[in-house]
């Protein structure tokens, strides 16, 4: 571990032997580590409650609460803090008890300085990697939540579009029939019938209401078409790399390699990063699902004009010819019910087309598939007539 990293470690030394503490602190400082000091377990806990540290190096044998009890309380309140115990030579069982209560490790006194330094560095490494793993997990969960929300919205949209479409047909019939009755009423032989004016008023009310219902269904169809886009300038290679990282574990679990081939010409793109990420995740998830052990997935990123071309190529099962158009339909899925909703590609193509781009597939049964996405650059100042100014 280099000095710059060592300098970042926040360390607390807990030992009732003042001389031992001071000497150790001095030697640690020479290697770049600043340390706080406490003479007993009680002081250590008070200090931690005010100012948590990364690593605690603590003697087991102390007056007042001993090291094992202090360790127990540290682990209860400061999950991230790692504790290294120092035990007397004859008391290694204290160390073993310490490990059981969550100590990072124990060393027997007299302590060999470089050995201790190594342990401190290892404990800090563990803290950093735990933190990174936690952050990655939270990030993945957040993205998944976002995707579920978008897919639900899309499903709702499809349903609403269907309903709107179906309602328009009977509305047209009602409207036509009302119009027909109106013309009948205007005929000469109908001039003297009783309640004629009341009939005419009733027909007018029917026509007005049909018009209102139509406006509502049209509005519904128009609303479904809108999805909020947040445009920013995206470093495409970074976005793709980061997205691959999200699914890499799922791929590795199946023994699938994921490669990225990024064209150097591809730099930045004005678009919505969340939606592009979703496009990529949907396509990658499908590719992982279709590919077996020892398979390979390649993501190609290249500049095309001012836009970006993304190819997701897998060596998986391939798609039969007769399904190659149907896979983009909502709810088309060959997966078992709990495994797929059949909305992935529908939503993906919808997103891409709203950017004015394209999503196409080439596939050969038993050999694999290639999904090709083209996303044009969304000029920051030109909304391209889509009403989607950033
Ligand atoms: N890379 C691929 N290789 C082989 N078949 C694929 C691939 N991508 C999609 N498919 C086929 O297309 C179908 C539809 O895909 P789509 O992503 O729309 O839905 P899904 O993956 O079944 O469910 P989900 O809604 O969870 O994405 C899949 O069920 C699968 O049969
Ligand atoms: Mg899918």
């Amino acid at each position: 571990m280099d000095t710059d990293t060592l300098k970042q470690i926040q360390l607390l030394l807990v030992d009732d032997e003042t001389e031992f503490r001071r000497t150790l602190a001095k030697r640690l400082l020479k290697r770049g580590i600043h340390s706080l000091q406490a003479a007993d377990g009680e002081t250590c806990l008070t200090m931690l409650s005010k100012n948590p540290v990364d690593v605690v190096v603590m003697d087991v044998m102390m007056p007042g609460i001993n090291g094992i009890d202090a360790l127990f309380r540290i682990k209860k309140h400061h999950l991230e803090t790692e504790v290294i115990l120092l035990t007397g030579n004859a008391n290694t069982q204290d160390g073993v008890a310490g490990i059981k209560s969550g100590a990072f490790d124990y060393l027997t006194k007299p302590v060999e300085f470089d050995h201790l330094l190594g342990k401190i560095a290892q404990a800090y490494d563990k803290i950093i990697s735990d933190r990174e793993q936690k952050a990655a997990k939270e990030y993945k969960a957040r993205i998944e939540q976002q995707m579920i929300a978008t897919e639900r919205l899309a499903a709702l949209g499809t349903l609403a579009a269907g309903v709107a479409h179906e309602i328009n047909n009977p509305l047209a019939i009602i409207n036509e029939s009302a119009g027909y009755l109106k013309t009948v009423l205007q005929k000469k032989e109908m001039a003297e019938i009783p309640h004629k004016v009341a009939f005419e008023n009733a027909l007018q009310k029917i026509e007005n209401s049909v018009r209102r219902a139509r406006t509502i269904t049209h509005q519904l169809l128009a609303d479904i078409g809108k999805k909020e886009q947040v445009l920013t300038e995206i470093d495409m290679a970074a976005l793709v790399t980061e997205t691959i990282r999200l699914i890499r574990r799922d791929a590795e679990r199946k023994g699938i390699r994921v490669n990225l081939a990024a064209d150097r010409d591809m730099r930045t793109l004005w678009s919505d990063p969340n939606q592009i990420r979703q496009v990529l995740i949907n396509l990658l998830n499908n590719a992982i699902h279709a590919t077996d052990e020892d398979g390979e997935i390649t993501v190609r990123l290249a500049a095309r004009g001012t836009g970006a071309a993304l190819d997701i190529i897998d060596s998986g099962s391939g798609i039969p010819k007769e399904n190659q158009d149907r896979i983009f339909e909502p709810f088309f899925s060959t997966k078992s019910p709990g495994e797929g909703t059949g909305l992935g590609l529908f939503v993906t193509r919808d997103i891409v087309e709203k950017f004015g781009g394209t999503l196409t597939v080439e596939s050969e049964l038993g050999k694999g598939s290639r999904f090709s996405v083209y996303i044009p650059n969304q000029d920051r100042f030109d909304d391209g007539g889509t009403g989607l100014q950033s």
Side-chain angles (χ1 to χ4, degrees):
M1 194 173 268
D2 55 50
T3 317
D4 278 347
T5 318
L6 289 175
K7 263 189 196 158
Q8 291 166 10
I9 304 178
Q10 292 174 302
L11 187 87
L12 174 58
L13 292 176
V14 192
D15 199 306
D16 54 327
E17 286 175 55
T18 318
E19 203 39 50
F20 174 77
R21 248 175 24 228
R22 286 201 181 136
T23 318
L24 190 54
K26 245 190 229 161
R27 294 193 66 184
L28 286 167
L29 191 58
K30 276 196 190 142
R31 306 294 280 268
I33 304 180
H34 288 265
S35 45
L36 299 168
Q37 296 180 35
D40 55 66
E42 213 46 86
T43 316
C44 154
L45 289 166
T46 318
M47 284 172 79
L48 285 181
S49 67
K50 286 186 194 136
N51 187 14
V53 301
D54 301 314
V55 182
V56 174
V57 174
M58 180 162 60
D59 191 15
V60 175
M61 290 276 285
M62 287 184 295
I65 56 169
N66 71 28
I68 303 285
D69 290 340
L71 162 72
F72 198 74
R73 281 155 69 175
I74 293 173
K75 279 289 162 185
K76 196 164 160 199
H77 299 291
H78 311 281
L79 262 180
E80 270 208 347
T81 300
E82 292 297 343
V83 179
I84 297 169
L85 291 175
L86 305 179
T87 68
N89 212 348
N91 293 322
T92 48
Q93 71 271 28
D94 279 347
V96 176
I99 297 276
K100 282 194 183 137
S101 310
F104 178 76
D105 210 340
Y106 69 91
L107 302 178
T108 47
K109 279 183 168 180
V111 178
E112 212 244 300
F113 179 73
D114 281 324
H115 191 46
L116 174 62
L117 191 65
K119 286 286 172 219
I120 293 172
Q122 279 175 17
Y124 188 63
D125 267 344
K126 177 169 182 283
I127 292 170
I128 298 298
S129 96
D130 284 354
R131 264 182 217 157
E132 282 170 0
Q133 261 179 29
K134 196 170 154 224
K137 239 193 195 156
E138 283 169 1
Y139 181 67
K140 195 167 176 223
R142 217 172 49 234
I143 299 283
E144 277 168 2
Q145 274 308 317
Q146 247 176 31
M147 286 181 49
I148 291 170
T150 319
E151 297 207 347
R152 284 222 178 105
L153 262 180
L156 212 62
T158 314
L159 192 69
V163 170
H165 185 77
E166 290 307 310
I167 284 180
N168 277 340
N169 291 335
L171 280 180
I173 297 171
I174 296 172
N175 204 39
E176 240 168 64
S177 307
Y180 167 71
L181 289 179
K182 248 180 159 179
T183 53
V184 170
L185 275 181
Q186 270 152 19
K187 290 199 168 144
K188 232 195 257 149
E189 64 269 29
M190 298 297 241
E192 302 299 330
I193 62 159
H195 310 299
K196 187 176 173 220
V197 174
F199 283 153
E200 278 173 348
N201 283 345
L203 286 171
Q204 193 53 52
K205 271 188 197 154
I206 291 176
E207 281 186 344
N208 290 347
S209 298
V210 166
R211 202 169 305 128
R212 228 182 107 218
R214 268 213 184 129
T215 318
I216 293 169
T217 55
H218 285 167
Q219 194 56 47
L220 196 58
L221 283 168
D223 283 346
I224 294 159
K226 276 188 214 139
K227 201 177 272 164
E228 220 180 292
Q229 293 179 344
V230 184
L231 302 182
T232 50
E233 192 171 17
I234 308 167
D235 174 346
M236 280 300 284
L239 181 79
V240 174
T241 308
E242 173 203 317
T243 310
I244 290 177
R245 201 176 306 142
L246 285 176
I247 55 88
R248 178 153 266 149
R249 205 177 289 238
D250 293 334
E252 279 169 359
R253 211 176 289 137
K254 279 188 78 181
I256 301 169
R257 273 156 302 154
V258 186
N259 315 311
L260 169 63
D263 186 341
R264 238 184 252 207
D265 291 348
M266 183 68 240
R267 290 177 192 278
T268 62
L269 184 77
W270 276 90
S271 194
D272 182 330
N274 285 327
Q275 298 202 16
I276 292 188
R277 194 183 296 117
Q278 173 155 19
V279 164
L280 203 54
I281 287 181
N282 284 348
L283 296 174
L284 283 168
N285 276 339
N286 283 348
I288 292 171
H289 193 271
T291 307
D292 282 333
E293 186 100 3
D294 272 345
E296 198 166 37
I297 297 172
T298 303
V299 180
R300 284 230 166 93
L301 170 66
R304 196 191 302 160
T306 54
L310 266 170
D311 283 353
I312 291 83
I313 306 154
D314 68 62
S315 62
S317 62
I319 304 163
K321 271 260 157 338
E322 65 271 21
N323 284 352
Q324 286 182 15
D325 283 330
R326 299 196 58 205
I327 55 173
F328 297 101
E329 288 170 10
F331 307 114
F332 177 86
S333 176
T334 55
K335 297 172 188 170
S336 50
E339 257 187 337
T341 57
L343 284 171
L345 286 176
F346 171 69
V347 172
T348 305
R349 184 176 256 183
D350 189 54
I351 292 174
V352 172
E353 287 182 349
K354 286 217 174 78
F355 284 122
T358 53
L359 168 63
T360 54
V361 64
E362 283 165 61
S363 182
E364 198 174 327
L365 209 55
K367 290 232 167 116
S369 311
R370 170 197 293 257
F371 283 82
S372 304
V373 186
Y374 168 66
I375 306 157
N377 190 49
Q378 309 288 307
D379 197 303
R380 176 143 75 127
F381 301 110
D382 165 24
D383 69 7
T386 56
L388 296 169
Q389 190 106 40
S390 61

